[in-house]
Each structure stands twice: as structure tokens, then as C-alpha cells.
Amino acid sequence: MSGVAGIGGSLTRSVSRVKTESYIEKSLVNVEDLAEVRSESIDRVNTKTVSGSGAGTVALAGSVSIIDMQNSNSAKIINGSIVKSGDSVKVVAKDKGYLGYKDNDKKVGILAGASSLGGSGGVGGSVIINNIKNSSYAHIDNS
């Protein structure tokens, strides 16, 4: 608590840049049953950003939470590989991004908050910015 004016602020930035790959390259593969190339990624982000201020006259508070997730995930058979299967060939890439969930799938949410108390007035504001640009690719090329 300040005498005349109080200012409070907070910033949280969560950044995820993960590259996941599964591949068969320049290889000969013989299997009796299913041949599968699989790449899966799971990313969980949980943030809580709060701020507060107090003053005898005027108080200002603000919080900003930024989530920046740009992951890539790929599964591929490439560069002259030969895959022989008695059943089928699968190439699978999956990406799951969870905002506000714990590992046990319990929802906890994403939180940004601000509180201010002033004798004459108080102003508080909060912002959450999500920048999610994940990509998943599954392909067979030159094989």
C-alpha cells in the first residue's frame, strides 16, 4: 500500500518449441504384420499471472499472460526406403496441445488477473494472448 499512488504489474510468458520426428530413411524393412511409423507429441501449458496494488489515492494494476506454442511433429518414410508388410503400412503424426490441463487431464484453467484498491479510485486489467502454431506431417516420399 502506497501513500498517494500505487502501481503493480506482472508478465508471464510460456514458450514451447519442440520438434518430434519418427522416420525410416534409406532402409529396407520387412515385417510379417503391420508396419507403422508413428510420432506423437503432447504439450501442456498452465499459467497463472496475477498482480495487485493499493494506494491512499489512486491505484493501477495489470497482468499479461502470453502462451507461445510452435511445435512440429512428423512421421515419414523417405529417401529410397522400401517397406514390405504382410498387412499394411501406416505413417501417423499426431500433436495434442492442452491449455489449462494437468498431466492427469484435470482442468485447471489459464488465469490472468489484476486487483487494485485506491482511496479515490483503482483500475485493474488483465490480458491473455495465445499464439498456437503447431504442425503435424505424415508422409512417404521417394520410397
Side-chain angles (χ1 to χ4, degrees):
M1 187 85 143
S2 174
V4 177
I7 298 175
S10 60
L11 169 69
T12 301
R13 184 168 183 228
S14 302
V15 178
S16 178
R17 301 277 193 281
V18 178
K19 183 176 181 179
T20 308
E21 291 182 308
S22 296
Y23 58 90
I24 297 173
E25 181 177 20
K26 298 178 184 176
S27 300
L28 172 61
V29 178
N30 287 303
V31 295
E32 291 180 14
D33 297 318
L34 170 69
E36 183 173 27
V37 178
R38 177 180 291 270
S39 179
E40 294 187 28
S41 67
I42 298 174
D43 198 11
R44 299 177 194 279
V45 176
N46 299 297
T47 66
K48 299 196 180 358
T49 309
V50 295
S51 69
S53 68
T57 306
V58 177
L60 302 171
S63 66
V64 177
S65 178
I66 301 170
I67 298 171
D68 187 4
M69 188 184 297
Q70 297 181 35
N71 302 325
S72 68
N73 184 27
S74 66
K76 51 195 171 185
I77 300 173
I78 56 174
N79 294 333
S81 294
I82 298 172
V83 179
K84 296 180 181 181
S85 169
D87 186 357
S88 60
V89 176
K90 285 186 181 180
V91 182
V92 180
K94 289 184 179 181
D95 171 67
K96 295 179 182 178
Y98 295 97
L99 300 180
Y101 284 86
K102 289 187 174 183
D103 289 341
N104 61 2
D105 288 336
K106 181 179 178 185
K107 189 172 185 173
V108 293
I110 303 293
L111 172 71
S115 176
S116 61
L117 177 62
S120 297
V123 176
S126 57
V127 175
I128 298 173
I129 300 168
N130 293 323
N131 180 34
I132 313 299
K133 294 181 181 175
N134 291 350
S135 61
S136 291
Y137 301 100
H139 63 97
I140 299 173
D141 188 27
N142 269 346
S143 294

